[in-house]
């Protein structure tokens, strides 16, 4: 593909990335604000995406077209990561009692690609496709602790404060990331939502950087510091087992759970 073609494709992806579950319908002005692209460029791309069935127009707004669902099944079927990790995610849910999920990084965000909900009545309920920040939450801290590119991307995007517990000071954040590297797992308390705590551990891929991060989330009444100290090594061992199953961990370092 030529350089102009690559640029157009990148801009089209940027337009589609604007749509989320929280904001499934957007106007051209909204898309222009989120992408920073010129109005004429946004209009041209949106028109093309509508013609291809990737966007649908409803009045003055647009939403993602159902054509994208055609790609979801082969994407999941073709992912060795999801195929390997799925039973481990469910096992971690059953062992810890909390909702478990698998995240991959997309620039300065993390995306939930596999989830298993807790059987408790009061739970954290994530959804596949959910886009979350890197700096707020245990899973994001794991990406930043073991991948300088992730930390740089998050810092460039800016550390937004979601709650009083969100760490936005770089020196404090660096201290937290050093601790994550030391013990191999991360713990966060009410950083993105008040009363929601999480524990995460990296699934290290080739090159020593996280291919994904495994995490659990639950209410602070259950997943407190004491509980985190107990389940943190379990989350780390499970993440290591996924890495080993994918062939990323030397045999002598493999741990089964």
């Amino acid at each position: 593909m030529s350089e102009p073609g690559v640029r157009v494709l990148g801009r089209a992806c940027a337009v589609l990335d604007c749509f989320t579950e929280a904001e499934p319908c957007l106007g051209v002005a909204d898309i222009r604000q989120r992408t920073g692209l010129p109005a004429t460029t946004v209009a041209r791309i949106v028109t093309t995406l509508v013609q291809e069935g990737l966007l649908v127009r409803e009045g003055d707004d647009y939403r993602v077209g159902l054509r994208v669902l055609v790609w979801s099944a082969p994407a999941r079927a073709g992912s060795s990561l999801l195929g390997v990790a799925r039973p481990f995610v469910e096992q971690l849910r059953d062992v810890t009692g909390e909702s478990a999920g698998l995240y991959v990084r997309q620039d300065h965000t993390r995306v939930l690609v596999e989830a298993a909900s807790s059987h408790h009545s009061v739970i954290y309920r994530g959804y596949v496709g959910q886009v979350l920040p890197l700096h707020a939450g245990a899973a994001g801290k794991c990406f930043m602790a073991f991948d300088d590119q992730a930390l740089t991307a998050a810092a460039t995007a800016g550390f937004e404060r979601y709650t009083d517990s969100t760490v936005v000071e770089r020196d404090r954040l660096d201290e937290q990331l050093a601790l994550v590297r030391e013990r191999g797992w991360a713990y966060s308390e009410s950083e993105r939502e008040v009363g929601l705590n999480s524990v995460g551990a990296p699934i290290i891929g080739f090159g020593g950087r996280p291919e994904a991060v495994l995490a659990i989330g639950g209410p602070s009444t259950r997943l407190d510091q004491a509980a985190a100290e107990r389940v943190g090594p379990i989350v780390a061992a499970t993440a290591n087992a996924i890495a080993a199953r994918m062939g990323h961990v030397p045999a002598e370092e493999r741990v089964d759970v």
Side-chain angles (χ1 to χ4, degrees), residues 3-247:
E3 180 62 27
V6 172
R7 186 163 58 250
V8 171
L9 179 59
R11 289 175 172 178
C13 290
V15 169
L16 291 171
D17 284 342
C18 292
F19 295 86
T20 66
E21 184 180 59
E23 294 181 294
C25 295
L26 297 172
V28 171
D30 300 318
I31 297 172
R32 187 169 65 249
Q33 180 181 17
R34 285 163 172 75
T35 61
L37 295 172
T40 54
T41 301
V42 171
R44 183 172 63 252
I45 292 175
V46 165
T47 298
T48 300
L49 292 175
V50 169
Q51 293 172 347
E52 295 298 327
L54 299 177
L55 287 181
V56 174
R57 183 170 183 174
E58 295 183 343
D60 293 330
D61 291 335
Y62 296 85
R63 63 174 174 80
V64 176
L66 294 179
R67 183 179 177 183
V68 299
L69 297 179
V70 175
W71 297 325
S72 63
R76 294 179 64 84
S79 171
S80 59
L81 172 63
L82 295 183
V84 168
R86 188 171 298 115
F88 287 97
V89 173
E90 294 176 350
Q91 179 186 22
L92 185 63
R93 182 268 315 275
D94 295 339
V95 170
T96 64
E98 303 297 348
S99 297
L102 184 73
Y103 295 86
V104 297
R105 182 173 76 89
Q106 184 175 5
D107 193 29
H108 63 281
T109 65
R110 52 190 166 100
V111 182
L112 184 63
V113 294
E114 189 66 57
S117 295
S118 168
H119 298 306
H120 288 293
S121 56
V122 179
I123 66 172
Y124 166 62
R125 192 180 302 279
Y127 58 89
V128 172
Q130 186 176 19
V131 180
L132 299 171
L134 289 183
H135 70 284
K141 296 287 176 64
C142 289
F143 280 113
M144 294 191 298
F146 294 93
D147 186 351
D148 290 340
Q149 292 180 2
L151 178 57
T152 299
T156 301
F159 300 133
E160 180 180 349
R161 187 181 296 278
Y162 294 93
T163 73
D164 291 341
S165 299
T166 307
V167 177
V168 296
E169 300 82 10
R170 183 57 186 266
D171 56 345
R172 287 187 58 203
L173 182 60
D174 287 341
E175 290 177 359
Q176 287 189 338
L177 299 184
L179 180 59
V180 174
R181 287 189 289 270
E182 178 182 336
R183 64 187 179 185
W185 54 272
Y187 173 57
S188 72
E189 296 180 288
S190 297
E191 291 189 357
R192 191 172 57 81
E193 293 182 18
V194 175
L196 172 61
N197 296 352
S198 59
V199 176
I203 299 171
I204 301 298
F206 295 113
R209 290 191 295 269
E211 179 167 341
V213 170
L214 183 66
I216 59 172
S220 56
T221 52
R222 288 198 307 265
L223 193 55
D224 57 12
Q225 180 70 48
E229 295 290 343
R230 184 177 67 255
V231 302
I234 297 175
V235 178
T238 307
N240 188 61
I242 295 173
R245 188 65 60 85
M246 296 185 69

